[in-house]
Amino acid sequence: MSKTVSVIDDEASVREAVAMLLETHGMTVNAYESAVAFLAAPFAAGCIVSDVRMPEISGLDLLRTLQSSDDSRPLILMTGHGDVELAVQAIKLGAFDFVEKPFSNDRLVGSVEQALVASESSLKVRLELEDLKAKLASLSERQRDTMQLLIRGLSNKEIGQQLGISPRTVEIHRTWVMTKMSARSIADLVRMGMALGIE
């Protein structure tokens, strides 16, 4: 499992304490003094722990930036006790969690561990979708038409009528679709269609 945690805090003492805590739990940590520095750094799969109040780009602004760039890494926000309203707003915006300062070590470590598990599964989903898109792109136009009609539950005969080809030709296209998409069954193909947004 990828265990890179990006820690962002403009206070060096907090940044170092959080980094040390997570490293003692076997996690790889990249620490940044600002969201600007974090965004300029190479992408590291895992999760992000960020302070809410920071100069230039706040934790909430960082969350919005990640969402607009389709970055699905879970973001945990560290907040002062006066920032609960901000924290609730962050959760509504899609933050993974918020941890109030001063926090217990177990609370933060537990939240980060959950975020890493979530990150792993969302990365897996993303890779599977990219793989499906590549498989779909390998189909010819006629094979794609056949797949669409198969997903709608049409028989070979009905597909042939729709596309103006013989049932035998439909059978050939169908075989190619199943092979290229690595689908074991029509149910499999339907699930793939749903993931790809094919009606």
Side-chain angles (χ1 to χ4, degrees):
M1 184 172 81
S2 165
K3 288 194 172 180
T4 302
V5 185
S6 299
V7 175
I8 312 164
D9 199 305
D10 56 321
E11 275 185 63
S13 57
V14 176
R15 194 168 64 239
E16 286 158 18
V18 170
M20 199 181 298
L21 169 67
L22 298 176
E23 281 168 353
T24 60
H25 284 80
M27 300 175 202
T28 304
V29 178
N30 294 337
Y32 305 94
E33 73 281 358
S34 69
V36 175
F38 164 74
L39 291 168
F43 180 91
C47 73
I48 304 157
V49 177
S50 171
D51 192 23
V52 169
R53 293 189 184 277
M54 293 186 294
E56 292 182 89
I57 300 176
S58 72
L60 282 183
D61 289 336
L62 174 62
L63 179 60
R64 290 187 187 100
T65 302
L66 293 172
Q67 287 176 335
S68 66
S69 61
D70 220 13
D71 188 330
S72 60
R73 284 177 289 181
L75 174 65
I76 297 164
L77 290 169
M78 296 183 289
T79 66
H81 67 259
D83 292 335
V84 174
E85 200 180 319
L86 259 182
V88 171
Q89 190 187 343
I91 295 293
K92 286 179 179 170
L93 276 172
F96 185 79
D97 195 5
F98 70 90
V99 181
E100 259 189 281
K101 297 176 188 173
F103 44 77
S104 79
N105 291 352
D106 289 349
R107 169 79 175 90
L108 181 64
V109 170
S111 183
V112 169
E113 284 174 345
Q114 287 176 342
L116 285 170
V117 170
S119 169
E120 185 80 358
S121 59
S122 79
L123 183 66
K124 188 169 167 251
V125 167
R126 207 160 108 195
L127 292 173
E128 282 170 1
L129 186 59
E130 280 171 16
D131 180 50
L132 277 182
K133 283 178 178 171
K135 286 175 179 171
L136 182 68
S138 76
L139 299 181
S140 70
E141 197 177 331
R142 189 41 59 93
Q143 287 162 3
R144 234 173 279 174
D145 293 341
T146 304
M147 177 176 166
Q148 210 162 1
L149 296 171
L150 280 170
I151 287 168
R152 280 173 42 198
L154 274 65
S155 67
N156 286 2
K157 189 178 173 188
E158 290 167 326
I159 293 171
Q161 286 167 346
Q162 285 253 2
L163 300 179
I165 54 178
S166 72
R168 176 79 191 107
T169 307
V170 173
E171 190 56 52
I172 294 165
H173 289 315
R174 181 179 177 149
T175 303
W176 274 112
V177 168
M178 300 301 276
T179 305
K180 286 184 178 180
M181 295 302 294
S182 308
R184 294 181 300 274
S185 64
I186 291 294
D188 231 5
L189 197 66
V190 169
R191 277 192 288 272
M192 290 174 181
M194 284 166 68
L196 288 163
I198 297 169
E199 291 307 314

